[in-house]
């Protein structure tokens, strides 16, 4: 094989490889010998078909396979001989005019990884903002539990008021009087003033009494999940089954026991632990961003345009998805377009930080162990049904890119932890509000990276009982995630598994603490409270994983948590 370099400019390389007809023909001969024992032909015993007949029967296919094999081998030799580190998959093109029996001229173009300068990690200084858990915060959460545990007493013929629980049977109809799919139900409990249902529904229940029938008129929101109902007027025929008033819940050991705990003191301890974990997550997010800011400001080197383009494409695809959930998608896209250059700079920063963190990790022996990798695969496999989990594990084990995607966030966190250990850290006590404000004021979207470790569609099935499908849950996900969060005035990521009801965070039921261990917050995420039990029962979201051809199983439908 002959190799001629045709481009060496910055990180771009191009070569012309000439694979001789003799080499290709030798591979054909080797392939004929390999397959001949399996070829069956009338008049010959199995395995006794002459090689010349095998070549005559299958020569064209064998020649194509031989050429492909020769090209792959040629590229591997090129990368090894030139000591290249490809940033992305090389572009390979067979020159025009190739004919069987002639030399093959192959054009190869690629971008190589830059030589990352020795990272400056000495002298890092970080401030760790800590938030003590105040008794008032614990009391507030316990108060929410008490509110969620409140009992209901029969109103005794009294007309319903704000805060009362009204149980209804309902039939929803469009403006022309036709009942619509998902608009019929029985024994639905509605707490007036909870904000669970679409605007106007709950308010029209004020004044009803048990045994009455009532028709109410509403208009579905323009961004309602069911497109055929969005913005449309509708009526609901109601039968009022009961009206109940809220009873006070006493905050004592009995309330804690109703939650499956032993005492009120245990409940307070679990809530304190949960809040501490939330605060620790916020503290780490802030420190991590400050660390990445320092690294970005201290290091500047050329990055492969192809990697930047791939990163930008992922960012842009996510923003376009988010725009579809905005009240005015066209305006959101227009704003995106006006900031396209900013997002491309963000993509470049991400790639540079990813390469830098990878270099730091490799230079300092940071690695993800086989045991840790097996645990990651096992955790990821849980999103699939039992029958598909083994297929998923086999897929990850066979696909290096899939394994790299699972490994990257953990690898990055381990590099970040290493850098935290190297930095001079000073502690400063603050409030949760000030810490959240500090995080919000920073461009967290821009700090995202992918660690480049060179070891080289939603559909929803909801009932439409007047539930408002509001999507107002902002995400601030791990920086290795390919789905960034928008910062400042950019479109905000929505909760893809939003429940059927819109429930303001301030009024949502708090997370029920576990008796053994409180759930740890996801890295760089604020704690998300669960919706009410009614909300969870009304919605079922679907999160399907992209399927690889004949290998990767589809994800099992999980229950939406609101």
């Amino acid at each position: 094989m002959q190799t001629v370099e045709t481009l060496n400019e910055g990180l771009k390389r191009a070569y012309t490889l000439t694979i001789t007809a003799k080499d290709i023909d030798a591979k054909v001969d080797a392939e004929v010998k390999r397959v001949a024992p399996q070829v069956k032909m009338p008049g010959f015993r199995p395995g006794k078909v002459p090689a010349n007949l095998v070549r005559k029967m299958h020569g064209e296919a064998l020649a194509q396979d031989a050429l492909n094999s020769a090209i792959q081998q040629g590229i591997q030799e090129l990368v090894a001989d030139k000591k290249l580190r490809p940033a992305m998959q090389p572009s390979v093109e067979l020159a025009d005019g190739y004919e069987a029996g002639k030399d093959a001229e192959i054009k190869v173009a690629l971008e190589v990884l830059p030589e990352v300068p020795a990272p400056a990690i000495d002298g890092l200084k970080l401030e760790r903002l800590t938030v003590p858990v105040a008794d008032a915060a614990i009391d507030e959460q316990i108060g929410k539990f008490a509110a969620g545990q409140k009992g209901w007493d029969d109103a005794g013929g009294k007309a319903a008021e704000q805060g009362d629980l009204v149980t209804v049977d309902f039939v929803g109809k469009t403006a022309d009087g036709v009942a619509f799919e998902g608009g019929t139900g029985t024994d639905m409990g509605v707490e007036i003033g909870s904000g669970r249902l679409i605007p106007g529904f709950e308010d029209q229940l004020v004044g009803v009494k048990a045994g009455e029938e009532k028709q109410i008129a509403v208009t579905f929101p323009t961004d309602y999940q069911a497109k055929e109902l969005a913005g449309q007027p509708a009526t609901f025929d109601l039968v009022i089954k009961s009206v109940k008033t809220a009873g006070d819940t006493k905050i004592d050991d009995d309330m804690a026991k109703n939650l499956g705990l032993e005492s009120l003191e245990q409940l307070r301890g679990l809530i304190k632990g949960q809040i501490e974990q939330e605060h620790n997550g916020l503290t780490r997010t802030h420190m991590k961003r400050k660390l990445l800011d320092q690294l970005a400001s201290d290091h500047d080197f050329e990055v492969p345009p192809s990697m930047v383009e791939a990163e930008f494409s992922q960012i842009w695809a996510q923003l376009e998805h988010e725009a579809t959930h905005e009240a005015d998608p066209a305006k959101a896209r227009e704003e995106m377009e006006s900031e396209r250059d900013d997002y491309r700079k963000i993509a470049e920063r991400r790639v540079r930080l990813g390469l830098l963190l990878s270099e730091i990790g490799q230079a300092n022996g940071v690695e993800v162990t086989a045991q840790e990798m097996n645990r990651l695969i096992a955790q990821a496999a849980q999103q699939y049904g039992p029958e598909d989990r083994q297929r998923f594990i086999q897929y990850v084990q066979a696909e290096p890119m899939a394994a790299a995607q699972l490994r990257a966030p953990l690898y990055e966190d381990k590099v970040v932890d290493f850098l935290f250990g190297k930095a001079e850290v000073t502690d400063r006590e603050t409030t949760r509000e000030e810490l959240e404000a500090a995080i919000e004021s920073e461009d967290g979207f821009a700090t995202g990276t992918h660690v480049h470790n060179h070891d080289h569609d939603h559909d929803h099935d909801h009932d439409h009982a007047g539930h408002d499908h509001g999507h107002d849950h902002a995400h601030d996900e791990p920086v290795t995630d390919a789905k960034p969060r928008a910062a400042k005035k950019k479109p905000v990521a929505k909760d893809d598994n939003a429940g059927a009801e819109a429930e303001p965070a301030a009024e949502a039921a708090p997370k029920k603490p576990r008796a053994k261990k409180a759930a740890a917050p996801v890295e760089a995420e604020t704690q998300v409270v669960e919706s009410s039990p009614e909300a969870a029962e009304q919605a079922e979201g679907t999160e399907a994983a992209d399927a690889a051809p004949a290998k990767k199983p589809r994800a099992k439908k999980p229950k939406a948590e609101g």
Side-chain angles (χ1 to χ4, degrees), residues 128-134 137 272-284 286 427-439:
R128 180 165 47 215
L129 301 182
T130 60
V131 180
V133 179
K272 181 178 181 180
Q274 187 177 42
I275 295 174
E276 284 177 341
Q277 288 186 319
E278 294 172 11
H279 291 175
N280 291 340
L282 292 171
T283 295
R284 180 183 173 85
H286 183 260
D427 291 300
R428 178 166 68 86
E429 203 170 278
T430 186
T431 65
R432 177 168 182 153
E433 291 73 22
E434 289 175 348
L435 179 53
E436 289 177 337
I439 293 173

Side-chain angles (χ1 to χ4, degrees), residues 212-226:
E212 290 184 352
E213 295 184 4
K214 182 180 180 68
Q215 184 181 79
I216 64 174
V218 296
T219 299
F220 282 95
T222 56
D223 60 347
Y224 192 68
Q225 187 68 33

Side-chain angles (χ1 to χ4, degrees), residues 88 304-314 340 344 347 351:
M88 302 285 282
S306 59
M307 293 179 72
V308 175
E309 185 59 35
E311 186 71 32
F312 173 77
S313 295
Q314 291 183 349
R340 180 183 282 268
R344 195 170 292 280
V351 170

Side-chain angles (χ1 to χ4, degrees), residues 253-541:
D253 287 344
D254 289 338
M255 186 196 78
K257 289 176 181 178
N258 288 336
L259 293 170
L261 304 176
E262 295 179 356
S263 65
L264 180 61
E265 191 61 31
Q266 185 185 20
L267 174 60
R268 292 185 66 86
L270 290 173
I271 290 176
K272 181 178 181 180
Q274 187 177 42
I275 295 174
E276 284 177 341
Q277 288 186 319
E278 294 172 11
H279 291 175
N280 291 340
L282 292 171
T283 295
R284 180 183 173 85
T285 297
H286 183 260
M287 281 184 67
K288 191 172 183 178
R289 291 190 180 173
K290 291 299 186 183
L291 171 66
L292 294 177
D293 283 344
Q294 287 190 47
L295 293 176
S297 64
D298 293 342
H299 301 86
D300 186 19
F301 50 88
E302 185 179 9
V303 294
S306 59
M307 293 179 72
V308 175
E309 185 59 35
E311 186 71 32
F312 173 77
S313 295
Q314 291 183 349
I315 292 173
W316 200 253
Q318 177 65 12
L319 291 171
E320 286 182 329
H321 172 72
E322 292 167 2
T324 62
H325 294 296
E326 295 292 326
D328 188 346
K331 184 176 180 181
R333 290 191 184 93
E334 182 180 344
E335 184 176 350
M336 284 165 49
E337 287 293 344
S338 69
E339 297 171 334
R340 180 183 282 268
D341 290 343
D342 292 337
Y343 285 116
R344 195 170 292 280
K345 291 176 182 177
I346 288 168
E348 181 177 336
R349 170 184 162 114
R350 283 184 166 200
V351 170
R352 184 174 291 110
L353 279 171
L355 292 171
L356 187 60
L357 289 177
S358 180
E359 185 71 19
I360 293 170
Q362 292 179 29
N364 292 279
V366 177
E367 61 179 16
V368 174
T369 66
Q371 183 178 7
E372 289 170 332
M373 192 64 202
N374 289 336
R375 186 164 59 248
L376 288 174
I377 295 173
Q379 289 172 348
Q382 294 305 307
Q383 68 180 304
Y384 300 100
E387 68 283 359
D388 286 331
R389 286 173 189 164
Q390 188 58 39
R391 290 176 58 205
F392 171 79
I393 292 172
Q394 292 171 349
Y395 165 77
V396 174
Q397 291 172 340
E399 294 289 341
M401 287 302 296
Q405 287 178 344
L406 282 179
R407 183 191 302 111
L410 177 58
Y411 183 78
E412 176 180 291
D413 279 342
K414 295 184 80 167
V415 176
V416 168
D417 286 337
F418 167 77
L419 292 172
F420 283 168
K422 293 278 292 182
E424 179 185 334
V425 179
T426 57
D427 291 300
R428 178 166 68 86
E429 203 170 278
T430 186
T431 65
R432 177 168 182 153
E433 291 73 22
E434 289 175 348
L435 179 53
E436 289 177 337
I439 293 173
E440 187 63 27
S441 67
E442 299 165 5
D443 195 349
F445 187 78
T447 62
T449 69
H450 286 283
V451 171
H452 302 285
N453 189 349
H454 291 279
D455 294 333
H456 302 124
D457 53 47
H458 301 293
D459 52 56
H460 295 271
D461 209 6
H462 296 315
D463 289 335
H464 304 295
H467 301 293
D468 182 2
H469 296 262
H471 297 276
D472 278 328
H473 309 283
H475 284 291
D476 186 5
E477 52 264 19
V479 294
T480 47
D481 198 322
K483 298 181 288 186
R485 120 199 215 295
K488 298 181 180 177
K489 295 184 179 180
K490 298 177 174 62
V492 178
K494 305 302 179 188
D495 185 351
D496 293 327
N497 280 335
E501 294 88 359
E503 186 164 10
E507 299 175 4
K511 272 199 171 184
K512 180 177 178 180
R514 300 179 185 177
K516 293 183 179 179
K517 181 180 179 182
V522 178
E523 167 65 13
E525 278 192 355
T526 53
Q527 186 72 27
V528 180
V529 292
E530 293 177 349
S531 301
S532 62
E534 293 88 346
E537 292 170 0
Q538 291 289 340
E540 182 177 40

Side-chain angles (χ1 to χ4, degrees), residues 13-75:
R13 303 287 186 274
Y15 302 88
T16 298
L17 310 182
T18 302
I19 303 174
T20 65
K22 181 179 178 181
D23 288 341
I24 297 173
D25 200 51
K27 287 186 176 294
V28 173
D29 287 339
E31 192 66 11
V32 168
K33 291 179 181 179
R34 188 184 69 82
V35 303
Q38 287 86 43
V39 174
K40 295 180 180 180
M41 184 180 293
F44 295 93
R45 294 197 308 272
K48 298 300 182 179
V49 180
N52 63 326
L53 290 181
V54 175
R55 180 185 281 269
K56 185 176 181 180
M57 289 175 58
H58 304 286
E60 186 175 345
L62 292 175
Q64 185 62 51
D65 289 343
L67 177 60
N68 290 338
S69 175
I71 291 173
Q72 290 180 10
Q73 182 180 338
I75 293 173

